[in-house]
Amino acid sequence: MKLLVTGGAGYVGSVVTAQLLEAGNEVVVLDDLSTGNADAVPAGARLVTGTLRDAAAGVLAGGGFDAVLHFAAMSLVGESMQKPGLYWDRNLGESLALLEAMRAAGVRRIVFSSTAATYGEPESTPILETDPTRPTNPYGASKLAIDTALAEYARLHGIGGISLRYFNVAGARLPEDGDAPGQGERHAVETHLIPNVLKVALGEKDKVTVFGEDYPTPDGTCVRDYIHVVDLGMAHLLALDACRPGGHEIFNLGNGNGSSVREVIEVCREVTGHPIPAEVSPRRAGDPAVLVASAEKIKSTLGWKPERDLRAMVADAWAFIQRRR
Ligand code: UDP
């Protein structure tokens, strides 16, 4: 297949691009490099630098595209609280430009990176796709709006969409042979737990801050559902095959089990062999106590199966960092 990957210079987009190439597809990456890195785009994909608004129509008009995988987005929850207009404009606005470009070019399938942040504070756990969506920040709200737009474009314009709602993505894709770094997390501003803990192991930070120890969880710290980026990527290949013009489906993507902040830090200590000092601070605003996916729908419908546990995520993220150094 010939595929357009938006955001293919970013973390998840670059991993999925590598997997798509490995499966024999032709891939064009469209990325404005606002947060991505040109050298993260796997060899074999063609990189077009530009925004979706400026460049998607031109690229798709070139012809022959079978589908789009749409990763390009602003994805920092905290920043979205400071700059909601920017998140609405970039996430929803640019996605609408992409959908219109698809319509004009007759491209009728799209797999979209949605998020657990569309659900907000859950009423019950694990979270099902049919649960209420009440996002608590503009990041989640803008992604939910795109899910809604996809449903409308499916119903009214026959464009088939699959929204994959990611829980906490971690790990890296390491090439099987050789010691090239592969694809992994390289955020300029790092807010996520595992990369921040690994920075402490590397000596780039003195200690990790645990945001709150007074949650109603077994050890008092927040519980999240971590999923390996390679397992997550494989779900995109399955979704691509399952995507049918005229339909829109939503699937949660998590492992279905939770790990606390303390448990994550402990696994990082074991994997890296570094002590990793931790200090407790007050809760971070907007963090729900527990976010765990029910991944039963994607397992039973698409036959997806996660194969890598938290230890593998930390080990691969750690190997990626070492190789890049
Ligand atoms: N967290 C933490 N210290 C950090 C970063 C994150 O204690 O330096 C906690 C955060 O409060 C949340 C969990 O780790 O409970 C995962 O946070 P992350 O930002 O990685 O992902 P999120 O769940 O916000 O998408």
Side-chain angles (χ1 to χ4, degrees), residues 34-66:
S34 57
T35 53
N37 301 285
D39 65 1
V41 177
R46 181 163 75 88
L47 170 65
V48 177
T49 307
T51 65
L52 303 183
R53 228 176 234 129
D54 293 341
V59 172
L60 290 176
F65 285 91
D66 297 293

PDB file of all heavy atoms in Angstrom, residues 34-66:
ATOM      1  N   SER A  34       7.874  20.671  14.044  1.00  0.00           N
ATOM      2  CA  SER A  34       7.748  21.595  15.183  1.00  0.00           C
ATOM      3  C   SER A  34       8.165  20.889  16.463  1.00  0.00           C
ATOM      4  O   SER A  34       8.752  21.493  17.348  1.00  0.00           O
ATOM      5  CB  SER A  34       6.328  22.144  15.292  1.00  0.00           C
ATOM      6  OG  SER A  34       5.392  21.100  15.396  1.00  0.00           O
ATOM      7  N   THR A  35       7.858  19.602  16.586  1.00  0.00           N
ATOM      8  CA  THR A  35       8.344  18.836  17.740  1.00  0.00           C
ATOM      9  C   THR A  35       9.086  17.569  17.306  1.00  0.00           C
ATOM     10  O   THR A  35       9.799  16.980  18.104  1.00  0.00           O
ATOM     11  CB  THR A  35       7.186  18.439  18.688  1.00  0.00           C
ATOM     12  OG1 THR A  35       6.185  17.774  17.923  1.00  0.00           O
ATOM     13  CG2 THR A  35       6.577  19.646  19.368  1.00  0.00           C
ATOM     14  N   GLY A  36       8.928  17.165  16.078  1.00  0.00           N
ATOM     15  CA  GLY A  36       9.597  15.942  15.598  1.00  0.00           C
ATOM     16  C   GLY A  36      11.017  16.223  15.132  1.00  0.00           C
ATOM     17  O   GLY A  36      11.463  17.374  15.101  1.00  0.00           O
ATOM     18  N   ASN A  37      11.716  15.152  14.779  1.00  0.00           N
ATOM     19  CA  ASN A  37      13.107  15.257  14.324  1.00  0.00           C
ATOM     20  C   ASN A  37      13.231  14.599  12.955  1.00  0.00           C
ATOM     21  O   ASN A  37      12.842  13.428  12.806  1.00  0.00           O
ATOM     22  CB  ASN A  37      14.041  14.521  15.292  1.00  0.00           C
ATOM     23  CG  ASN A  37      13.940  15.078  16.700  1.00  0.00           C
ATOM     24  OD1 ASN A  37      14.450  16.146  16.993  1.00  0.00           O
ATOM     25  ND2 ASN A  37      13.233  14.360  17.574  1.00  0.00           N
ATOM     26  N   ALA A  38      13.804  15.338  12.003  1.00  0.00           N
ATOM     27  CA  ALA A  38      13.934  14.785  10.645  1.00  0.00           C
ATOM     28  C   ALA A  38      14.710  13.466  10.666  1.00  0.00           C
ATOM     29  O   ALA A  38      14.369  12.529   9.941  1.00  0.00           O
ATOM     30  CB  ALA A  38      14.631  15.793   9.739  1.00  0.00           C
ATOM     31  N   ASP A  39      15.719  13.362  11.547  1.00  0.00           N
ATOM     32  CA  ASP A  39      16.523  12.137  11.533  1.00  0.00           C
ATOM     33  C   ASP A  39      15.843  10.972  12.261  1.00  0.00           C
ATOM     34  O   ASP A  39      16.399   9.876  12.332  1.00  0.00           O
ATOM     35  CB  ASP A  39      17.943  12.385  12.064  1.00  0.00           C
ATOM     36  CG  ASP A  39      17.961  12.791  13.527  1.00  0.00           C
ATOM     37  OD1 ASP A  39      16.874  12.863  14.144  1.00  0.00           O
ATOM     38  OD2 ASP A  39      19.054  13.023  14.064  1.00  0.00           O
ATOM     39  N   ALA A  40      14.645  11.216  12.796  1.00  0.00           N
ATOM     40  CA  ALA A  40      13.879  10.102  13.375  1.00  0.00           C
ATOM     41  C   ALA A  40      13.074   9.373  12.296  1.00  0.00           C
ATOM     42  O   ALA A  40      12.608   8.260  12.515  1.00  0.00           O
ATOM     43  CB  ALA A  40      12.929  10.614  14.459  1.00  0.00           C
ATOM     44  N   VAL A  41      12.900  10.016  11.142  1.00  0.00           N
ATOM     45  CA  VAL A  41      12.122   9.377  10.067  1.00  0.00           C
ATOM     46  C   VAL A  41      12.932   8.206   9.531  1.00  0.00           C
ATOM     47  O   VAL A  41      14.065   8.386   9.087  1.00  0.00           O
ATOM     48  CB  VAL A  41      11.828  10.393   8.934  1.00  0.00           C
ATOM     49  CG1 VAL A  41      11.091   9.706   7.796  1.00  0.00           C
ATOM     50  CG2 VAL A  41      11.018  11.564   9.472  1.00  0.00           C
ATOM     51  N   PRO A  42      12.386   7.002   9.590  1.00  0.00           N
ATOM     52  CA  PRO A  42      13.156   5.832   9.164  1.00  0.00           C
ATOM     53  C   PRO A  42      13.572   5.919   7.703  1.00  0.00           C
ATOM     54  O   PRO A  42      12.820   6.427   6.865  1.00  0.00           O
ATOM     55  CB  PRO A  42      12.177   4.670   9.383  1.00  0.00           C
ATOM     56  CG  PRO A  42      11.200   5.165  10.388  1.00  0.00           C
ATOM     57  CD  PRO A  42      11.053   6.638  10.128  1.00  0.00           C
ATOM     58  N   ALA A  43      14.757   5.420   7.427  1.00  0.00           N
ATOM     59  CA  ALA A  43      15.248   5.382   6.042  1.00  0.00           C
ATOM     60  C   ALA A  43      14.250   4.569   5.218  1.00  0.00           C
ATOM     61  O   ALA A  43      13.733   3.557   5.679  1.00  0.00           O
ATOM     62  CB  ALA A  43      16.623   4.726   6.011  1.00  0.00           C
ATOM     63  N   GLY A  44      13.978   5.037   4.030  1.00  0.00           N
ATOM     64  CA  GLY A  44      13.019   4.317   3.189  1.00  0.00           C
ATOM     65  C   GLY A  44      11.712   5.065   3.070  1.00  0.00           C
ATOM     66  O   GLY A  44      10.939   4.848   2.138  1.00  0.00           O
ATOM     67  N   ALA A  45      11.444   5.982   4.023  1.00  0.00           N
ATOM     68  CA  ALA A  45      10.243   6.823   3.916  1.00  0.00           C
ATOM     69  C   ALA A  45      10.671   8.163   3.320  1.00  0.00           C
ATOM     70  O   ALA A  45      11.781   8.627   3.567  1.00  0.00           O
ATOM     71  CB  ALA A  45       9.622   7.046   5.285  1.00  0.00           C
ATOM     72  N   ARG A  46       9.772   8.777   2.554  1.00  0.00           N
ATOM     73  CA  ARG A  46      10.068  10.115   2.026  1.00  0.00           C
ATOM     74  C   ARG A  46       9.486  11.151   2.975  1.00  0.00           C
ATOM     75  O   ARG A  46       8.329  11.033   3.373  1.00  0.00           O
ATOM     76  CB  ARG A  46       9.431  10.268   0.635  1.00  0.00           C
ATOM     77  CG  ARG A  46       9.701  11.625  -0.004  1.00  0.00           C
ATOM     78  CD  ARG A  46       9.430  11.575  -1.504  1.00  0.00           C
ATOM     79  NE  ARG A  46       8.020  11.562  -1.843  1.00  0.00           N
ATOM     80  CZ  ARG A  46       7.271  12.667  -2.018  1.00  0.00           C
ATOM     81  NH1 ARG A  46       7.809  13.870  -1.869  1.00  0.00           N
ATOM     82  NH2 ARG A  46       5.995  12.560  -2.347  1.00  0.00           N
ATOM     83  N   LEU A  47      10.304  12.123   3.377  1.00  0.00           N
ATOM     84  CA  LEU A  47       9.828  13.163   4.295  1.00  0.00           C
ATOM     85  C   LEU A  47       9.450  14.413   3.520  1.00  0.00           C
ATOM     86  O   LEU A  47      10.251  14.957   2.763  1.00  0.00           O
ATOM     87  CB  LEU A  47      10.924  13.512   5.315  1.00  0.00           C
ATOM     88  CG  LEU A  47      10.660  14.749   6.187  1.00  0.00           C
ATOM     89  CD1 LEU A  47       9.448  14.551   7.102  1.00  0.00           C
ATOM     90  CD2 LEU A  47      11.894  15.099   7.037  1.00  0.00           C
ATOM     91  N   VAL A  48       8.206  14.863   3.721  1.00  0.00           N
ATOM     92  CA  VAL A  48       7.774  16.170   3.219  1.00  0.00           C
ATOM     93  C   VAL A  48       7.619  17.053   4.446  1.00  0.00           C
ATOM     94  O   VAL A  48       6.908  16.689   5.386  1.00  0.00           O
ATOM     95  CB  VAL A  48       6.432  16.074   2.457  1.00  0.00           C
ATOM     96  CG1 VAL A  48       5.957  17.444   2.011  1.00  0.00           C
ATOM     97  CG2 VAL A  48       6.556  15.125   1.273  1.00  0.00           C
ATOM     98  N   THR A  49       8.295  18.196   4.471  1.00  0.00           N
ATOM     99  CA  THR A  49       8.224  19.081   5.628  1.00  0.00           C
ATOM    100  C   THR A  49       7.161  20.143   5.391  1.00  0.00           C
ATOM    101  O   THR A  49       7.247  20.897   4.422  1.00  0.00           O
ATOM    102  CB  THR A  49       9.599  19.752   5.872  1.00  0.00           C
ATOM    103  OG1 THR A  49      10.589  18.732   5.938  1.00  0.00           O
ATOM    104  CG2 THR A  49       9.597  20.529   7.177  1.00  0.00           C
ATOM    105  N   GLY A  50       6.164  20.181   6.259  1.00  0.00           N
ATOM    106  CA  GLY A  50       5.114  21.186   6.118  1.00  0.00           C
ATOM    107  C   GLY A  50       3.970  20.871   7.053  1.00  0.00           C
ATOM    108  O   GLY A  50       3.920  19.787   7.654  1.00  0.00           O
ATOM    109  N   THR A  51       3.065  21.824   7.208  1.00  0.00           N
ATOM    110  CA  THR A  51       1.895  21.583   8.046  1.00  0.00           C
ATOM    111  C   THR A  51       0.824  20.872   7.221  1.00  0.00           C
ATOM    112  O   THR A  51       0.859  20.881   5.989  1.00  0.00           O
ATOM    113  CB  THR A  51       1.299  22.898   8.577  1.00  0.00           C
ATOM    114  OG1 THR A  51       0.815  23.643   7.448  1.00  0.00           O
ATOM    115  CG2 THR A  51       2.344  23.728   9.326  1.00  0.00           C
ATOM    116  N   LEU A  52      -0.145  20.302   7.920  1.00  0.00           N
ATOM    117  CA  LEU A  52      -1.236  19.632   7.207  1.00  0.00           C
ATOM    118  C   LEU A  52      -2.031  20.658   6.409  1.00  0.00           C
ATOM    119  O   LEU A  52      -2.464  20.396   5.288  1.00  0.00           O
ATOM    120  CB  LEU A  52      -2.154  18.918   8.205  1.00  0.00           C
ATOM    121  CG  LEU A  52      -1.470  17.896   9.108  1.00  0.00           C
ATOM    122  CD1 LEU A  52      -2.482  17.206   9.995  1.00  0.00           C
ATOM    123  CD2 LEU A  52      -0.719  16.881   8.271  1.00  0.00           C
ATOM    124  N   ARG A  53      -2.198  21.827   7.007  1.00  0.00           N
ATOM    125  CA  ARG A  53      -2.969  22.869   6.336  1.00  0.00           C
ATOM    126  C   ARG A  53      -2.309  23.279   5.021  1.00  0.00           C
ATOM    127  O   ARG A  53      -2.964  23.469   4.016  1.00  0.00           O
ATOM    128  CB  ARG A  53      -3.047  24.083   7.260  1.00  0.00           C
ATOM    129  CG  ARG A  53      -4.421  24.646   7.399  1.00  0.00           C
ATOM    130  CD  ARG A  53      -4.426  25.780   8.405  1.00  0.00           C
ATOM    131  NE  ARG A  53      -5.414  25.533   9.422  1.00  0.00           N
ATOM    132  CZ  ARG A  53      -5.179  25.580  10.714  1.00  0.00           C
ATOM    133  NH1 ARG A  53      -3.984  25.860  11.184  1.00  0.00           N
ATOM    134  NH2 ARG A  53      -6.158  25.367  11.564  1.00  0.00           N
ATOM    135  N   ASP A  54      -0.981  23.401   5.065  1.00  0.00           N
ATOM    136  CA  ASP A  54      -0.278  23.892   3.873  1.00  0.00           C
ATOM    137  C   ASP A  54       0.002  22.786   2.863  1.00  0.00           C
ATOM    138  O   ASP A  54       0.023  23.043   1.664  1.00  0.00           O
ATOM    139  CB  ASP A  54       1.077  24.518   4.270  1.00  0.00           C
ATOM    140  CG  ASP A  54       0.882  25.782   5.082  1.00  0.00           C
ATOM    141  OD1 ASP A  54      -0.218  26.355   5.029  1.00  0.00           O
ATOM    142  OD2 ASP A  54       1.838  26.172   5.790  1.00  0.00           O
ATOM    143  N   ALA A  55       0.267  21.588   3.361  1.00  0.00           N
ATOM    144  CA  ALA A  55       0.869  20.604   2.448  1.00  0.00           C
ATOM    145  C   ALA A  55       0.065  19.331   2.204  1.00  0.00           C
ATOM    146  O   ALA A  55       0.339  18.618   1.232  1.00  0.00           O
ATOM    147  CB  ALA A  55       2.265  20.234   2.962  1.00  0.00           C
ATOM    148  N   ALA A  56      -0.930  19.010   3.072  1.00  0.00           N
ATOM    149  CA  ALA A  56      -1.601  17.707   2.920  1.00  0.00           C
ATOM    150  C   ALA A  56      -2.293  17.583   1.557  1.00  0.00           C
ATOM    151  O   ALA A  56      -2.188  16.544   0.893  1.00  0.00           O
ATOM    152  CB  ALA A  56      -2.615  17.500   4.051  1.00  0.00           C
ATOM    153  N   ALA A  57      -2.971  18.650   1.139  1.00  0.00           N
ATOM    154  CA  ALA A  57      -3.723  18.570  -0.128  1.00  0.00           C
ATOM    155  C   ALA A  57      -2.773  18.305  -1.287  1.00  0.00           C
ATOM    156  O   ALA A  57      -3.045  17.453  -2.144  1.00  0.00           O
ATOM    157  CB  ALA A  57      -4.513  19.854  -0.346  1.00  0.00           C
ATOM    158  N   GLY A  58      -1.657  19.014  -1.291  1.00  0.00           N
ATOM    159  CA  GLY A  58      -0.686  18.854  -2.380  1.00  0.00           C
ATOM    160  C   GLY A  58      -0.108  17.445  -2.416  1.00  0.00           C
ATOM    161  O   GLY A  58       0.000  16.837  -3.481  1.00  0.00           O
ATOM    162  N   VAL A  59       0.236  16.929  -1.248  1.00  0.00           N
ATOM    163  CA  VAL A  59       0.833  15.588  -1.203  1.00  0.00           C
ATOM    164  C   VAL A  59      -0.186  14.550  -1.671  1.00  0.00           C
ATOM    165  O   VAL A  59       0.108  13.700  -2.524  1.00  0.00           O
ATOM    166  CB  VAL A  59       1.330  15.248   0.224  1.00  0.00           C
ATOM    167  CG1 VAL A  59       1.766  13.797   0.323  1.00  0.00           C
ATOM    168  CG2 VAL A  59       2.484  16.165   0.624  1.00  0.00           C
ATOM    169  N   LEU A  60      -1.404  14.615  -1.119  1.00  0.00           N
ATOM    170  CA  LEU A  60      -2.411  13.600  -1.474  1.00  0.00           C
ATOM    171  C   LEU A  60      -2.842  13.720  -2.938  1.00  0.00           C
ATOM    172  O   LEU A  60      -3.153  12.711  -3.583  1.00  0.00           O
ATOM    173  CB  LEU A  60      -3.625  13.699  -0.543  1.00  0.00           C
ATOM    174  CG  LEU A  60      -3.372  13.248   0.902  1.00  0.00           C
ATOM    175  CD1 LEU A  60      -4.611  13.470   1.755  1.00  0.00           C
ATOM    176  CD2 LEU A  60      -2.948  11.783   0.965  1.00  0.00           C
ATOM    177  N   ALA A  61      -2.822  14.954  -3.453  1.00  0.00           N
ATOM    178  CA  ALA A  61      -3.216  15.146  -4.858  1.00  0.00           C
ATOM    179  C   ALA A  61      -2.223  14.469  -5.796  1.00  0.00           C
ATOM    180  O   ALA A  61      -2.553  14.168  -6.946  1.00  0.00           O
ATOM    181  CB  ALA A  61      -3.319  16.635  -5.180  1.00  0.00           C
ATOM    182  N   GLY A  62      -1.000  14.216  -5.275  1.00  0.00           N
ATOM    183  CA  GLY A  62       0.002  13.496  -6.075  1.00  0.00           C
ATOM    184  C   GLY A  62      -0.502  12.125  -6.512  1.00  0.00           C
ATOM    185  O   GLY A  62      -0.031  11.552  -7.487  1.00  0.00           O
ATOM    186  N   GLY A  63      -1.467  11.605  -5.739  1.00  0.00           N
ATOM    187  CA  GLY A  63      -2.163  10.398  -6.181  1.00  0.00           C
ATOM    188  C   GLY A  63      -1.621   9.091  -5.654  1.00  0.00           C
ATOM    189  O   GLY A  63      -0.497   9.001  -5.159  1.00  0.00           O
ATOM    190  N   GLY A  64      -2.498   8.100  -5.721  1.00  0.00           N
ATOM    191  CA  GLY A  64      -2.097   6.736  -5.423  1.00  0.00           C
ATOM    192  C   GLY A  64      -2.102   6.346  -3.966  1.00  0.00           C
ATOM    193  O   GLY A  64      -1.702   5.231  -3.627  1.00  0.00           O
ATOM    194  N   PHE A  65      -2.561   7.237  -3.069  1.00  0.00           N
ATOM    195  CA  PHE A  65      -2.536   6.879  -1.646  1.00  0.00           C
ATOM    196  C   PHE A  65      -3.728   5.984  -1.289  1.00  0.00           C
ATOM    197  O   PHE A  65      -4.867   6.265  -1.655  1.00  0.00           O
ATOM    198  CB  PHE A  65      -2.556   8.142  -0.772  1.00  0.00           C
ATOM    199  CG  PHE A  65      -1.228   8.854  -0.747  1.00  0.00           C
ATOM    200  CD1 PHE A  65      -0.948   9.858  -1.666  1.00  0.00           C
ATOM    201  CD2 PHE A  65      -0.248   8.501   0.170  1.00  0.00           C
ATOM    202  CE1 PHE A  65       0.286  10.500  -1.664  1.00  0.00           C
ATOM    203  CE2 PHE A  65       0.989   9.138   0.180  1.00  0.00           C
ATOM    204  CZ  PHE A  65       1.256  10.142  -0.749  1.00  0.00           C
ATOM    205  N   ASP A  66      -3.436   4.927  -0.541  1.00  0.00           N
ATOM    206  CA  ASP A  66      -4.494   4.016  -0.104  1.00  0.00           C
ATOM    207  C   ASP A  66      -5.088   4.434   1.228  1.00  0.00           C
ATOM    208  O   ASP A  66      -6.239   4.133   1.516  1.00  0.00           O
ATOM    209  CB  ASP A  66      -3.921   2.598   0.036  1.00  0.00           C
ATOM    210  CG  ASP A  66      -3.423   2.079  -1.310  1.00  0.00           C
ATOM    211  OD1 ASP A  66      -4.280   1.870  -2.189  1.00  0.00           O
ATOM    212  OD2 ASP A  66      -2.205   1.939  -1.485  1.00  0.00           O
TER     213      ASP A  66
END
